[in-house]
Amino acid sequence: MDAQYQYTKLFYGLLGQRHLTQHTDAETPIVSAVIKNEIALYSTLILTIDGLPGSGRVLLRSVYEALMIAKFASLRQSDSLISKWIAGETIYFSNAILKKIMTPELTELKNLWAVLCQVSHATIYSYQVTTKFEENENEISVNLAILAMLLGCNFHLINKHYITNSMVYLAKAYHSEEGEFQRRRDTAKIATQAATKFLSKQGL
């Protein structure tokens, strides 16, 4: 999380300057996802290690949804989804996103969405009924695995959609410390690989 934050922070001064960044209309949901997800992922980690995995997992649903919307918006730049998002209109995630994706295979993405939705509604799966570690150990492990998955997705969004070629050029050419961009990108990449190293095939 820290490595990804330090990487994205290099470019905060360029946000909103499309003549420099060459961002498209998808910039708004992408930037929102990147910046808000930093806080939500950190909050989830703190809640989880404090013995509140149920509360933390509710935040993971928002992170997942933001990542998917931002990626989808970036790939379909003329889609009305961006206008709806900017206007603050309701986006029905399954219909607006999942049902429109032909490839890749969505089985695991849909399974993850179902798990995250379960805890977000007032059902038997919502939150938790005890704070004892022994009774929540499995749920804590699940949260940490989902965190690792979403950190991998978050790095992809940062590296492939948030940071454009123009931003890379400016960072390399004008940043005060030579090689700072490459160091921060490499650090974020290595940290992400370490976080996802032990995921199952399905998780990956």
Side-chain angles (χ1 to χ4, degrees):
M1 290 179 197
D2 289 345
Q4 289 185 11
Y5 169 71
Q6 292 298 330
Y7 183 30
T8 58
K9 196 170 74 167
L10 278 173
F11 305 97
Y12 281 179
L14 294 173
L15 298 182
Q17 308 295 321
R18 291 193 186 182
H19 62 292
L20 296 176
T21 65
Q22 302 301 307
H23 273 136
T24 65
D25 287 344
E27 176 191 33
T28 308
I30 290 172
V31 171
S32 175
V34 168
I35 294 175
K36 290 179 179 178
N37 282 357
E38 288 175 353
I39 298 170
L41 288 165
Y42 176 73
S43 300
T44 298
L45 178 62
I46 295 302
L47 287 165
T48 299
I49 63 178
D50 277 351
L52 298 169
S55 300
R57 199 171 302 172
V58 174
L59 292 171
L60 292 178
R61 178 187 173 184
S62 176
V63 171
Y64 176 78
E65 197 171 358
L67 287 168
M68 291 287 282
I69 289 172
K71 171 77 173 179
F72 193 78
S74 182
L75 296 178
R76 294 188 52 161
Q77 295 166 10
S78 63
D79 200 281
S80 62
L81 175 80
I82 298 172
S83 299
K84 279 188 171 183
W85 193 94
I86 292 172
E89 296 177 18
T90 300
I91 295 174
Y92 296 99
F93 183 72
S94 291
N95 290 331
I97 307 290
L98 293 182
K99 289 183 179 179
K100 291 185 178 179
I101 299 174
M102 298 295 104
T103 56
E105 167 60 43
L106 293 182
T107 300
E108 304 305 337
L109 293 174
K110 288 180 178 178
N111 288 343
L112 178 57
W113 178 240
V115 167
L116 296 177
C117 285
Q118 278 182 340
V119 297
S120 301
H121 303 291
T123 68
I124 60 170
Y125 303 106
S126 62
Y127 293 98
Q128 61 196 78
V129 294
T130 177
T131 57
K132 291 182 180 179
F133 175 81
E134 297 78 9
E135 296 180 24
N136 286 293
E137 185 174 2
N138 184 63
E139 297 307 310
I140 289 170
S141 297
V142 169
N143 271 23
L144 295 177
I146 296 173
L147 269 169
M149 287 187 274
L150 295 182
L151 280 167
C153 295
N154 202 51
F155 179 72
H156 170 80
L157 184 69
I158 292 167
N159 211 37
K160 300 297 183 183
H161 300 281
Y162 170 80
I163 298 174
T164 63
N165 290 335
S166 296
M167 292 162 74
V168 171
Y169 169 77
L170 291 169
K172 288 181 175 179
Y174 298 107
H175 201 276
S176 57
E177 295 182 41
E178 185 178 351
E180 184 67 13
F181 164 77
Q182 195 63 48
R183 281 195 296 275
R184 292 197 192 188
R185 179 162 69 176
D186 290 345
T187 300
K189 181 179 180 181
I190 291 168
T192 302
Q193 289 172 341
T196 57
K197 181 178 179 180
F198 299 104
L199 290 177
S200 66
K201 179 181 177 181
Q202 292 79 8
L204 292 170

